[in-house]
Amino acid sequence: MGTPVNIIVGSHVWVEDHSLAWVDGEVSKLNGEDAEIQTSNGKRVVANLSRIYPKDMEAPAGGVDDMTKLSYLHEPGVLQNLKIRYELNEIYTYTGNILIAINPFQRLPHLYDAHMMQQYKGAPFGELSPHVFAVADVAYRAMINEGKSNSILVSGESGAGKTETTKMLMRYLAFLGGRVATEGRTVEQQVLESNPVLEAFGNAKTVRNNNSSRFGKFVEIQFDKQGRISGAAIRTYLLERSRVCQISDPERNYHCFYLLCAAPQEEIEKYKLGNPKSFHYLNQSNCYELVGVSDAHDYLATRRAMDIVGISGKEQDAIFRVVAAILHLGNIEFTKGKEIDSSVPKDEKSKFHLNMTAELLMCDPRALEDALCKRVMITPEEVIKRSLDPLGATVSRDGLAKTIYSRLFDWLVDKINVSIGQDPNSKSLIGVLDIYGFESFKANSFEQFCINFTNEKLQQHFNQHVFKMEQEEYTKEAIDWSYIEFVDNQDVLDLIEKKPGGIVALLDEACMFPKSTHETFANKLYQTFKNHKRFIKPKLSRTDFTIAHYAGEVLYQSDQFLDKNKDYVVPEHQDLLSASKCSFVAGLFPLLPEETTKSSKFSSIGSRFKLQLQQLMETLSSTEPHYIRCVKPNNLLKPAIFENVNIMQQLRCGGVLEAIRISCAGYPTRRAFFEFINRFGVLAPEIVEGNHDEKVICGKILEKKGLKGFQIGKTKVFLRAGQMAELDARRAEVLSNAAKTIQHRIRTHNARKQFIALRKATIHVQSLWRGRLACKFFESMKREAGAVKIQKNIRRYQARKGYSKLRVSGLVLQTGLRAMAARKEFRFRKQTKAAIIMQTRWRCHRASSYYKKLKRASIVSQCRWRGRIARRELRKLKMAARETGALKEAKDKLEKHVEELTWRLQLEKRLRTDLEEAKTQEITKLQNSLQSMQIKIDETSALLVKEREAARKAIEEAPPVIKEKQVIVEDTKRIDSLTGEVESLKASLHLEEQRADNSERRYAEAQESIEEKQKKLQETEGKVHQLLESLSRLEEKLTNLESENQVLRQQAVSVSMAPNKFLSGRSKSIVQRSAEGGHIVGDPKPALDMHSHSIIQRDHPEVEEKPQKSLNEKQQENQELLIRCIAQHLGFAGNRPIAACIIYKCLLQWRSFEVERTSVFDRIIQTIGNAIETQDNNDVLAYWLSNASTLLLLLQRTLKASGAAGMAPQRRRSSSATLFGRMTQSFRGTPQGVNLSFVNGGLNGGVDTLRQVEAKYPALLFKQQLTAYVEKIYGMIRDNLKKEISPLLGLCIQAPRISRASLVKGSSRSLANSAAQQALIAHWQGIVKSLGNFLNTLKANHVPPFLVRKVFTQIFSFINVQLFNSLLLRRECCSFSNGEYVKAGLAELEHWCYKATDEYAGSAWDELKHIRQAIGFLVIHQKPKKTLDEISHDLCPVLSIQQLYRISTMYWDDKYGTHSVSSEVISNMRVLMTEDSNNAVSNSFLLDDDSRRSMENLSTLFTTFHFQLMTYQSRWNK
């Protein structure tokens, strides 16, 4: 609050305003305790100093995300901060750990997508921008870490967005809590699916909201030990039962009534329903439909939601039978009966509705009438039936309707809870409370009393929580807070609920007495609480009373308090409905135990609600609370409208201002030492320049200014209310004195300089002007005498000349005006005629253009459709061509088709020739007719001209005669006849023009048809060529397949005739050579020369001498030896991976690729999998990536699919569909000149010397598995590097703070600054070091450079996404100094890319384009001068409008104090974003880090890999 010492002339302050709540202004004058203020809206206001508040002129332009950071924590500061953020579409703001959510009344999908949820997952509270996800994340983490249940309290008035906020909370909790499914649906889905049902039966249109919840809801989301959602339950509070019978204009009753009236026709006829206007419970208001809402559609949606929730079709029918019965029940009217004080149905209409109600409820109509019109009184002697008057019967009818609806709603809630299911073993839960806010209307009844009672209870809980948070903050900073008083509202709660003297207790007592009325109840309240400070008796009413709640005074009307508080069911109603033949209705009214019926224990709504509220508070007290206050910015329910007065009232009702009062009772202003010294260091520069600690400097500054009551914590300075304003006033005074001193010196210097120059010039000018004046004076005296004479003659001459000129001018003017009028008329007629001609030509041109466009579009559509059919036919032909037996038949068909197409082509040519001849003849005819018509037109025009000339001459030459009248008649007749001829000629001309137009149109159509047929002819010729080519290809395939079949038969014969000795001997020779060398690489000469025939011949005698082993045993031994060999780290020979070469040569020597069944492939794959399993060692992964990729290359070059491979065609197709499968397919195009030299001189001829092997299914499967492992190893290496640099990226986005004091410490400042700069980029250097080590590892293991380049491209893309998203989510990062820090770090990365060279870094640097352009925008100067076109096209062409808007609004200059872009640019960005949202374009400003998409991008690299093989293989030949 402002004080006289804080407010001076020139201070910027806030003052109250009736229309704007608060308005800013400048103090222009002080008069004692009053101040005269010039407001920003042009008014001059006088206010008391105690009623004005200081304004922070250094507040950030985009506001603060946590209002505890405000320099002045008061009502206008809070309101202004919310308004600034709302204008920037920042709808969430913190107040400590309380979230304020302002309803934007528009969709903001970028705030709630999966990427945003991922960003807030696990993020510390307050680190990112305020969001509802942050509150849910804190609650979830606290529940997991501490094992304590949490609750989230969502409050606000109708239309503030409570329900949507609750949905977002549950979505995020489901995102965190896993997916425990129940009957195919998750728990959170079931809870969300129950919303349409509860909204249909519990929501209604009110004055402020079209879908207002008229009940409170507490959703308990239960979690298991693993933190996954395992169950849920919904608790409801205080359904507004009176709305069933009473509504006011322009509100509506509950939605379900209108939905049923808009049901399908068979439903309406079934329940005998009609227009809502025909029902008494609905026609009390003139509002029957909602704008933009279809009740018929919502009815079907509600039925679907009931199906999903688990309500059977039979139960649904029963539910809507009850709803229809309530509507019919409301239309029963009563009139006086024959007996005294009796009542009967008024007319036949009432009897019809009575019978319909009884039919729908399946009870006796007579019994229903007795239950409504009579009461049974049981005495010890007898049972007495008492009749009710019409008014009593009406009250009984409405009571029955309210009771039925209330029981129905309770049944629905119980059914939903049973459907969702609760977890009895759950130890922790998160409760989401969606409850009505504080209400204060013109007429406030019992419902508002209960709602405000609830909010008083919740406000007390809220106040205790806020005070607890304040205590924790003070304890954390180790300051003394024992003397701070706590603001409490216990006196209001005692007034309402205290026993036995509270309002609820007095209301129950009044309800128990039959003769009590609302007047006696009000008088009882007046007597009991006449001295209570919170209870006020109105002066002009005898039944109303006012309670001073925390949010303001509310006037209650007690007229219906007693009726609405009674909760007992009339026994007649209970007996009637419990005996219903409908099991559903009878279930709503179960028979009560005999003891209950005998006991007359009173039950009331107030007591029951008080008990429910007590249970709710116990639940909340056992949980850790979190608060979300929803605010409705305007009553028009439209976006971009911020009503200050309305929002201040909601903040007051929501308890936010109460929380501010609690904060103001302690230390409302908290500043970190760094910020405090930066702002107030000018008050004591000598202390700042001394070599002191930050904490000591802060204390000395405050002591020097004589402030009392402040506290110095561990990291912050805590100031009492008003002290911040006092320090700002002192600071403003210091800055003002310094400015005045500078101005004084500058003005003195300028004034003296100007005076000397002016004096010198003045003397010189004076001397010149005095001589000049003397000469002028003499000359003037001479001329004066002559002028007098001349004037006399001139005046006489001018008078005569003026008269003559005036006369002539009059005549000329008259002539000109008449001529101008004539010309104007002529011009108008000429323009009218020209306009008509232009309109005619334009309409003709427009029609012709539209026809041409339509025709062109039709042709394009036809071409595409025919192309699609042709492609489909081509696919069928290809599939048919795969089978060898069908090729000849296809060939015959194609030949027939070619002959047919040839015949059609000749026919088309013949038709084309005929058409051209016909076209030529038609054109000739049309041209001849056109020429003849033109000749006729010319003759007609000439004749017309001659006739006109003759008529004109006749008129002119006619002599004047005595019979003048008769001559005029003859001339007139002649003119008429000529005019008729002219008109007929015009008509004929018009007809000829139409014929010419028709001829031209037919000519154009003929031309277009010719062009179209030419196109068709060309297409037909192209198809013929294509079919001929496909036919030739199929013939080639057929011949190839026949030759392959012959080769396979020959091989089968040769294999069957080959001796087994050769096979066993060859296998044994391999084992012996392996045993002699220890392992295959041990003997450099013979170890890998597996094509040497001398070795085989040398081993033949040994095979004959020793007993032969079976072939299977020898194969097992060979495989064991190979597996043991490759399991070791064999290293590289030069640049060549040894293991890959050994595997390949062994498999080739053993002919493993050509066998139908073998286990060697599975064992090799298993060995590779065991080597890389759970490996965090990049060296091992890089080693196997090099070997696997080399082996894959060799397999692709050698293996050739055979007919046997057709056993698994689907597997082959899946191989080519994968990333590395496409890579291996590209190897088929390897140039023949590539020479892959193998280890120790083996296979000196290279890959081109290898013969291709027809691979069987196991070999092809092995290649697919190897491809998958290459992909897996590649991903593991990339992810390991991501994990290594991720912690450093979080530290690299925001510069470490260096206090002002540490930058001004004596002569060692330059050394300190250089050391600080080194410390600043330490994190960036850590990233560079990780990248360097990773590159060295890949180089050491000879990983192909194209793979290295792709890895670093994806890593830099990951860095770009992480840094850019963090920049947009954290406002403190969008500063000028932070931009310089990140820019220096990016320079380190650029230097690393330069050193790594393009061979390994590639285009990795280009992947940082988003963060580079964003940082470039932050550090650029003169932002307000930049236009939107310059920003979006020159500075930041990659960034979207949403991203530019986000950066522009979050930017703040902490170094030079400059501003962001101009308001015009901001408004233009907002317009563009609105257009994008209307076009259904996603307006998310976050980047997507999708590794799967990166892998797909990687596939494009491998499809072009064979073009790089020449460079890569040159290393193999060295």
Side-chain angles (χ1 to χ4, degrees), residues 989-1113:
L989 177 63
H990 182 64
L991 292 174
E992 295 298 332
E993 288 178 350
Q994 287 182 350
R995 292 176 183 173
D997 292 339
N998 293 333
S999 301
E1000 291 178 357
R1001 193 180 302 109
R1002 286 197 298 272
Y1003 174 74
E1005 291 175 355
Q1007 190 69 24
E1008 290 176 357
S1009 63
I1010 291 169
E1011 292 176 356
E1012 183 178 355
K1013 291 182 178 179
Q1014 288 178 350
K1015 290 181 181 178
K1016 289 182 179 179
L1017 185 61
Q1018 293 175 358
E1019 291 175 359
T1020 306
E1021 291 176 353
K1023 290 180 181 178
V1024 170
H1025 290 305
Q1026 291 177 1
L1027 290 172
L1028 290 174
E1029 291 176 359
S1030 62
L1031 180 61
S1032 62
R1033 286 197 299 269
L1034 289 174
E1035 290 176 349
E1036 291 177 1
K1037 289 183 180 179
L1038 180 60
T1039 55
N1040 291 336
L1041 288 173
E1042 290 175 352
S1043 60
E1044 288 177 3
N1045 288 333
Q1046 293 176 359
V1047 172
L1048 287 175
R1049 293 191 190 98
Q1050 293 175 2
Q1051 288 181 354
V1053 172
S1054 61
V1055 168
S1056 62
M1057 296 175 63
N1060 292 332
K1061 292 184 178 181
F1062 174 76
L1063 292 176
S1064 59
R1066 183 179 58 183
S1067 302
K1068 186 171 181 181
S1069 65
I1070 296 174
V1071 177
Q1072 289 177 351
R1073 289 198 304 272
S1074 302
E1076 290 174 0
H1079 55 81
I1080 296 179
V1081 187
D1083 189 1
K1085 291 185 178 179
L1088 293 176
D1089 192 6
M1090 296 183 181
H1091 283 183
S1092 176
H1093 297 284
S1094 61
I1095 296 177
I1096 298 174
Q1097 293 174 359
R1098 189 174 64 245
D1099 288 343
H1100 274 296
E1102 298 176 4
V1103 175
E1104 295 174 356
E1105 292 174 0
K1106 297 181 180 179
Q1108 295 184 354
K1109 295 183 179 179
S1110 66
L1111 180 61
N1112 292 335
E1113 292 178 355

Side-chain angles (χ1 to χ4, degrees), residues 68-94:
T68 57
K69 298 177 183 179
L70 290 173
S71 299
Y72 303 111
L73 189 60
H74 46 53
E75 290 186 12
V78 169
L79 184 65
Q80 179 68 10
N81 187 67
L82 292 176
K83 183 176 182 180
I84 291 174
R85 290 179 61 80
Y86 182 73
E87 290 174 350
L88 301 178
N89 275 343
E90 297 287 345
I91 61 173
Y92 294 115
T93 307
Y94 291 135

